[in-house]
Amino acid sequence: MKKFRLVAFLILFLGVTLSVAAQDRVLVGFDYTRTGIKPNFEDPLQDVDSYKINGLVKVAGGEQGFKLRLGGELQKSLNREVISDYLGTGMDIYRDPYTYFGVGELAYRFKFIEVGARAKFGAEKLHEDFDYEFTRAYEFRGTLNAGRFGFTPLFVGFKKEPQGFSQYFGAGGHIRF
């Protein structure tokens, strides 16, 4: 948790620092994801699979129309199975691994609606005894913007796993500096 707080602070600090020099170019966001889309209204955070913070800098494009953003993302998965049937005992091992991504986003904005696609390439270490592994994910997002704030009511993502691509859903919000 300390590492997550430190990275969150650094991303926010970087966003504030860059916002002084480049108005309306830095986007700092927070998302949560889940593998199932069926909501649990009694305990909405019970089935959350992961949460993530991201920071993106606009490198091309204006307020309206197409824009290109580049940045990074830190994702923490919750209660993820990393080893199944450990040594034939029938027990599974679960961990809360971190994944570090470099992110590229192409988005189109018309008035207050923005649609975009993100390609994410990074590394994750599923268990403390394993090495870092290369991973990639792709997301398609729809965002509603109001001033400097934005809300993503739904995004769909696909992440490369050893057995193929897994699908996930999520929601989030961001602030632009």
Side-chain angles (χ1 to χ4, degrees):
M1 192 63 173
K2 290 180 183 179
K3 187 186 300 185
F4 186 77
R5 289 183 198 155
L6 177 64
V7 171
F9 172 75
L10 290 175
I11 288 175
L12 288 174
F13 178 76
L14 177 67
V16 171
T17 304
L18 290 175
S19 69
V20 173
Q23 285 293 323
D24 213 20
R25 289 195 170 273
V26 178
L27 183 138
V28 176
F30 177 83
D31 299 329
Y32 82 92
T33 63
R34 47 191 299 148
T35 53
I37 197 166
K38 183 179 176 185
N40 180 355
F41 293 110
E42 294 174 6
D43 188 4
L45 298 178
Q46 177 185 5
D47 297 327
V48 172
D49 295 321
S50 66
Y51 54 91
K52 50 193 173 181
I53 57 171
N54 49 58
L56 299 169
V57 176
K58 182 169 54 174
V59 294
E63 179 65 25
Q64 300 291 325
F66 284 101
K67 58 191 80 199
L68 176 66
R69 295 183 182 112
L70 298 175
E73 179 174 280
L74 172 66
Q75 175 179 344
K76 179 166 182 161
S77 299
L78 303 172
N79 203 23
R80 182 171 171 188
E81 180 182 319
V82 295
I83 301 174
S84 62
D85 193 23
Y86 180 66
L87 298 176
T89 60
M91 295 189 326
D92 301 328
I93 295 179
Y94 293 86
R95 293 287 186 264
D96 296 342
Y98 286 97
T99 306
Y100 307 93
F101 285 112
V103 180
E105 178 183 55
L106 180 63
Y108 182 80
R109 182 171 177 177
F110 179 72
K111 297 193 180 190
F112 65 92
I113 298 173
E114 182 174 295
V115 293
R118 289 184 180 179
K120 306 187 307 183
F121 302 95
E124 66 183 348
K125 188 174 187 176
L126 296 177
H127 190 274
E128 54 270 9
D129 295 334
F130 295 172
D131 292 329
Y132 279 96
E133 295 180 3
F134 173 76
T135 187
R136 62 186 187 269
Y138 306 98
E139 289 179 0
F140 302 97
R141 308 170 72 87
T143 304
L144 304 173
N145 293 299
R148 297 213 177 276
F149 298 96
F151 173 65
T152 304
L154 177 68
F155 64 83
V156 178
F158 302 92
K159 183 177 179 187
K160 179 66 173 145
E161 300 287 348
Q163 67 275 10
F165 278 93
S166 65
Q167 184 176 9
Y168 59 89
F169 304 93
H174 69 262
I175 185 170
R176 289 182 298 142
F177 296 100

